[in-house]
Amino acid sequence: MGTISALLGGEPPADRQEYVAELALVIGHRLAQIEKQCTSRRPQSRHADYGSDQRRRALATVNVGTWEWQEATGVKMDDIAEGLVSLAGLTPYTWDHRPETWSARIHPDDRTAVLEETKRAVETRETRALEYRVLDENSQVHWVEQRGQFVYSEDGTTERAYGTLVDVTLRRGKLEWLTTLQELHPDPVFAMSMDNRVAWGNMVMRNQGAARGVTIVGSVPWEVDEALAGLGLQEMLARARAAGGTAITQELRILREPETGAMVAYSARAAQVGEYVTVMLEDITERKRAEEIERARTRELWRTLKPKALRQLVAVTVAARHVAGRAAEIGGSWYDAIQLPGGRVMLASGSVTGGGLSEAITMGQLRATVAELAALDYPLAELMARLGGSEVVTSALAGDLQALLLLALYDATTGCLSLVSAEHPPPVLASPASPAELADMHVGPGLGASPLAYEITHVDVPDGSLLALSTTGFAGRRTDGGTPCSKVTRLLERADTFDGESPLDEVCDVLADLAKDESREGDAAVLLARLSRVPQEQVAAWDLPWDPRSASSARRKTLTQVGEWGREDLAFTAELVVSELVGNVIRHTEQGPVRLRLLHLHRDLIIEVYDGSQSMPHMQPIRLMEESGRGLMMIGEIAAAMNGGWGSRYTQDGKCIWVRLRGEEGESTGHEPSFSPQFSTGRDPGDGGVVPVRSEAS
């Protein structure tokens, strides 16, 4: 506004000097008021008044004031910034709008750094944001943030500067509280500003940076340290800012020693605190190492539990594949092929879902339980009921695991295929005369999920049919219409894959490649079986009258048939066994008819005697003077001596007692059966990806 000068003839006394000083303060205060009045009376358009008022309100809301400096006029501030000068202990009477006056109020410890940063900003022509302390009239510390941009003339000299001034005392108080709390924390802790620079780091953080020869505080971490580049830190900070205070967790692996390649693992937790994102790094290297050891042990255990090479089967060629999942190294999918007496084969496919090691352990237990119950020759319905009530299944359900199972019982002497499913996808069945399609069968609930009996489906399959049992990973999901959609079906529809002479291993390899291409989390398994028939010339059966003389008739028929098969080495033993079995049936049962069947399967001679009674024979210890039970004891001893066995099973209208006699290799004096065992060498199960298995047939 101007200058008022008091000209005196000489130096006034002290009391007059105090008066002049007080007068100057009053005049300065009045001049400031006059300036505001003059400024408010300047003619402006209504639009300009509205915009200026809106701007002033917006700045007041966030407590941000603007300033402008010109070398000729000093520092000019708006209303908000004018109010912030009180933070530096200045009043309208003492604030003369000179940069030197403001600099004198900067904390002595920060003054040099502020002047150097200002000088650097002039030289580099960059926008600078400075946070420093100022002292008020009571010597209390306040934090301010000053941002500024310099404007240069054509000759490169500085003409003016403008920027903002913000009171950040509260924010710095939060940061200082955090600093005090986390300075001695055993893990690295640091705070990131909005421009992704480290505003503060605790002692561990600073020491680690010093050991690597870098200064992290004040820098962008991934720009000054190559080991921190490419870890996703920038993305994690962006997610933390967007989460609004919710902690974001991410695992990081940092190269600690480039010479040795040693890595250190951290669990990083980032959360928004005010204007900063605080990050804490927890060293989990030892935990990850322990997890790797435990994971290796788990994989080794799973390798011992998962399906191995399949057994030799009668009239059935099998091949199988297991494909590991993308999300888990271990899984619960399995398969099995079990040889049963009388030329029957049990094919099983199942899966246990629920996750982790428990899934694999339950898979191994369930597979062993199915094999044990199948060896006891229970009917399918009773076998499923016993499985549902077994300890394995009840424990699995208690542990939130789900067990799915599909059983296929194939009788190679009749061509009858019996199917039962516990929430397992139906199998795919193809024959030389019909295309591949899903078997039309009832799919029941998972094991142990319902007390109701499972429905058994019986299908007569032609000789040479192909059966594919596959878990969900191979079988696929249901379509929108509810119809099951199977990749196995589509594959077997191709004429070049269904060939009576083509190895099943090739079909399995194609299926495994298809399964690997899918984004599947869990593992998957598929079991292919080519179902052949036992030649009729290797089967002989007779219905015998309910008469004691049937035992002698059965002996004669047995001797004749064994001679035709060229197995004179088994003639005497077979005659003795048949006589004892038929005689016991007629003596101890009251229901007929009696049926004798002989099977010549490779080196084995199977003797089966059927009757209409449900009472089963039991091997019991016999006393010295007792006569009952000696015949059954004799049969058991004979079968064991000939590397065979004996047993019994229920049939639809009675029971069957069977005895297997096995001759020594090379003792057969006649011709061999027309179907001979065929083995494919296969490969041993691997550790990852597709696990091929040996294919066997007989």
Side-chain angles (χ1 to χ4, degrees), residues 21-43:
E22 292 177 2
L23 178 62
L25 289 175
V26 173
I27 294 176
H29 178 67
R30 294 296 298 157
L31 286 176
Q33 293 179 346
I34 294 173
E35 179 184 14
K36 293 180 180 180
Q37 294 174 2
C38 295
T39 303
S40 62
R41 293 171 183 170
R42 292 174 184 171

Side-chain angles (χ1 to χ4, degrees), residues 488-510:
V488 181
T489 306
R490 296 196 300 268
L491 175 65
L492 297 185
E493 285 176 350
R494 303 177 186 174
D496 58 343
T497 61
F498 185 77
D499 184 357
E501 301 298 329
S502 62
L504 294 183
D505 282 329
E506 297 180 1
V507 184
C508 281
D509 289 337
V510 176

Side-chain angles (χ1 to χ4, degrees), residues 32 73 110 150 163 181 227 278-279 319 364 372 392 434 522 535 574 638 645 654 670:
T73 60
D110 297 345
F150 289 92
L181 183 65
T278 59
V279 182
E372 291 177 1
V392 175
S434 61
I638 290 175

